Structures are given as C-alpha cells and as structure tokens.
Amino acid sequence: MRVFSTRGYRAGSVQNIAAEAGISLSGLLHHFPSKEELLAEILAYRDEEAETYVGSGDDVRAESLAGLIELVAHNQRVPGLVELFCVLSAEATDPEHPAHDFVVERFARVRTAIAAAFRDAEVRGLLADGVDPDGAAREAVAVMDGLQLQWILEGRTFDMAARLRSHLARTVRISQLDR
Amino acid sequence: MRVFSTRGYRAGSVQNIAAEAGISLSGLLHHFPSKEELLAEILAYRDEEAETYVGSGDDVRAESLAGLIELVAHNQRVPGLVELFCVLSAEATDPEHPAHDFVVERFARVRTAIAAAFRDAEVRGLLADGVDPDGAAREAVAVMDGLQLQWILEGRTFDMAARLRSHLARTVRISQLDR
C-alpha cells in the first residue's frame, strides 16, 4: 500500500515492495505471483472492510448513510489506504490500466448502494424535499473522493467525517440515523 | 495534454509527446526545455482560462459561483484537460512530485476564492441558513473534483454542470446569480 500510494501503481514496482517489506523478490512472488494480484488483494481487502460499515445488497438501509460517515472516520486512521485509492482511482481512468474495469465496476456498485440508502430514507420520510436519490448518491461519492484529495494535499489538517456529515445533513435527517 | 492525461504525468515521456505532436524530440525540446516546463505551461494555461469564468482576487463575487458552473460546462468540452487534471492532482499528492507545490498552492487558492464568493453571498442574504462559507467552499471543490473522476470513469455520460448546479442550489440562491 505504501509503495503504490506514494509512487502510484504504475511507477511502483514489485522490487520496491519486496525491499519495503524486507523480503526477497522471489519470496514476495511466492505469495503474490504478480503486481496485479497484489493490487487485487488490496482492493478486495478494503471493500470488505467498507461493507462492514455500509452493508451490501439487501442490507443497505438509510442507516448506511451514517455508516458512510463512520467509514470515513475509520479511513482517517489509515491514510496510506486513502492515498492509494486516491491515486489509483485517478490512474485507473486510463482504459489500459489493469485495475480500470475493477474501478469502473466498483464506482457503479458504490453509487448504486448509496442510491438505495437514499431511497430508503425517502420512503421513510427522512429525505429533504426535492432531493433525487440517484443524484444525491452521485454527489455523496463525489464529496468523499474530493475531500480525500484535499485531505492528502493539505497534510490531513481537517476532519473529513465531520465535513461529510455536514454535507449529508442538508439532504437527509442524519441525526435520526446514527447507530 | 493527451500524453499526460492517458499515461499519467510520470509515465508519459517527452519522446511520447514529440511522437504525438509529429515533431522531433530536439524540436520539442527547443520550445520546451524540460517535461516540467511543458507541465507548467499546461497548468498556467488552464488557470488563466478558469479565471475568465470565476474572476480572481477582488473580482470574486457571489456571481463567481454561477461562473463555476459555466467553467464546468466549458470543461465538458475539453475532456483531455479534465483527465489530465484529475490524474495529475492525484499523482501530485506525492510530496516528491514536481507539481506537488503548485497543486497544493492551487487548491488553497481556489478554495480561498470560492470561500470569498460564498461570503459575498452571505453578506447579500443569498446563502442558506447555517451554511459556513469556508466549509461550503471546501465541499464545492470536492464535488467538482469527485464529479470529474466519475465523469471520466463513466465515459462522460452525465452532465457535471447540472449536477454542480443542483449541489450549489442547496446552499445558495443560484438562480439569482446567473449572468
């Protein structure tokens, strides 16, 4: 994570990773046969973690929006992962990037889940007037990604979770969703 | 712009750029002595363009928020630049990146200008109750950056300007600011 997040996925090498981990290149390749495989493991690891806060599939409720805030609070404690995802998401906009399909699919999945949470809030009368659940989901994802970029560039000097909460509080009755 | 935005700034080479431009490497280096210089020219070019929509320094008014929407509408017509800035901003989170200081300074400058626009809106009674101008500015920048990322990943299938407008309309009386 440190190598990919500081050098970028493309520029970071398995040699760098072996050196940072203090093992031989052949030792690293024994566990992870390729760089793509290392990346896939990191991506899958983080998504599993995210689902413990937000749920997935039929588990998604309006409460998942409060879960997003908890997830961001958690992310603030693992800045290396935040940096990796920030750089990787941008690098993977290139259709040739090995994680392109994964990242495109992941953004669609996250947005769909958050839209479902907003729709649940709508049904339960917790959504502000005139808010479109799909648009609100797109915006919430944008705010999270954009705040991450600022947070890294500014040396982690503000509270991303508090800022996301203040964003969500304008579209949904967030205080009724805290767990 | 095309080379940097598809390969990333780090991975893109002056050789690639000379080839895409159909000139020799020495011809390219005659006009732009280094890769850093090429990048600096692109960054400066885009910032000058942005200021024609938003203003700068004492020119910034609440109307600059409507200008931001126009700027995003303009950006949608130059997707190569959007991709370049998206990838570059993320790559430049690395303190070793040659554009790091520029990007950090640029984010601070943009955020300060947008906060000034929100403060002008506040003074003129155009801001929604309880909105903090500095927080709103941070959020607006985040929405713009996050939407750009989604827009590229989704193959430019939605209207970023309309989405930004809908975001701003919840904090400021945007319809009174159109020029």
Side-chain angles (χ1 to χ4, degrees), chain B residues 60-115:
Chain B
V60 173
R61 296 279 178 277
E63 281 74 11
S64 302
L65 299 171
L68 276 183
I69 299 172
E70 291 169 28
L71 173 61
V72 170
H74 166 74
N75 286 345
Q76 292 185 147
R77 294 188 289 271
V78 286
L81 264 177
V82 173
E83 286 172 28
L84 173 61
F85 267 70
C86 177
V87 176
L88 179 76
S89 302
E91 284 189 336
T93 54
D94 179 357
E96 306 285 305
H97 191 286
H100 177 77
D101 291 346
F102 176 90
V103 169
V104 167
E105 184 274 321
R106 182 177 178 278
F107 266 78
R109 178 161 36 90
V110 168
R111 194 158 51 79
T112 302
I114 298 178

Side-chain angles (χ1 to χ4, degrees), chain A residues 5-8 10-11 83 86-94 100 103-104 107-108 111 128 130-132 134-147 149-154 157-158 163 166-167 170-171, chain B residues 5-8 10-11 83 86-94 100 103-104 107-108 111 128 130-132 134-147 149-154 157-158 163 166-167 170-171:
Chain A
S5 62
T6 54
R7 295 171 189 255
R10 240 172 249 272
E83 287 173 29
C86 177
V87 176
L88 179 75
S89 302
E91 283 189 337
T93 54
D94 179 357
H100 177 76
V103 168
V104 168
F107 267 79
R111 194 158 51 79
V131 172
D132 152 48
D134 290 316
R138 184 183 289 294
E139 245 180 78
V141 173
V143 166
M144 285 188 288
D145 289 324
L147 289 179
L149 182 58
Q150 293 176 40
W151 189 68
I152 303 167
L153 284 169
E154 291 177 29
T157 50
F158 67 94
R163 182 48 51 204
S166 134
H167 170 76
R170 275 200 297 281
T171 52
Chain B
S5 62
T6 55
R7 295 170 189 254
R10 241 171 250 271
E83 286 172 28
C86 177
V87 176
L88 179 76
S89 302
E91 284 189 336
T93 54
D94 179 357
H100 177 77
V103 169
V104 167
F107 266 78
R111 194 158 51 79
V131 172
D132 152 49
D134 290 315
R138 184 182 289 293
E139 245 180 79
V141 173
V143 166
M144 285 188 288
D145 289 323
L147 289 179
L149 182 58
Q150 293 176 40
W151 189 68
I152 303 168
L153 284 169
E154 290 176 31
T157 51
F158 67 95
R163 181 50 50 204
S166 136
H167 169 75
R170 275 199 297 282
T171 51

Side-chain angles (χ1 to χ4, degrees), chain A residues 1 36-52 81 84-85 88 102 105-106 109:
Chain A
M1 293 191 307
E36 285 73 16
E37 217 131 336
L38 267 165
L39 181 64
E41 289 292 333
I42 293 173
L43 298 174
Y45 167 76
R46 192 179 186 196
D47 279 351
E48 276 168 37
E49 206 176 51
E51 287 183 1
T52 66
L81 264 177
L84 173 61
F85 266 69
L88 179 75
F102 175 90
E105 185 274 321
R106 182 177 179 279
R109 179 160 35 90

Side-chain angles (χ1 to χ4, degrees), chain B residues 24 43 128 173:
Chain B
S24 69
L43 297 173
R173 293 204 194 129

Side-chain angles (χ1 to χ4, degrees), chain A residues 1-2 5 42 45-46 49-50 53 70-86 148 151-152 156 160:
Chain A
M1 293 191 307
R2 193 159 60 225
S5 62
I42 293 173
Y45 167 76
R46 192 179 186 196
E49 206 176 51
Y53 289 92
E70 291 169 26
L71 173 61
V72 170
H74 166 75
N75 286 345
Q76 293 186 146
R77 294 187 289 269
V78 286
L81 264 177
V82 173
E83 287 173 29
L84 173 61
F85 266 69
C86 177
Q148 286 192 349
W151 189 68
I152 303 167
R156 312 170 193 168
M160 287 195 287

Side-chain angles (χ1 to χ4, degrees), chain A residues 53-68 109-127 131-134 136-137 140 168 171-174 177:
Chain A
Y53 289 92
V54 180
S56 64
D58 291 344
D59 289 344
V60 173
R61 296 279 177 280
E63 281 73 11
S64 302
L65 299 171
L68 275 183
R109 179 160 35 90
V110 168
R111 194 158 51 79
T112 303
I114 298 178
F118 275 113
R119 265 193 298 277
D120 185 45
E122 186 176 43
V123 168
R124 290 159 58 189
L126 298 170
L127 206 61
V131 172
D132 152 48
D134 290 316
L168 291 174
T171 52
V172 72
R173 293 205 194 128
I174 198 71
L177 297 172

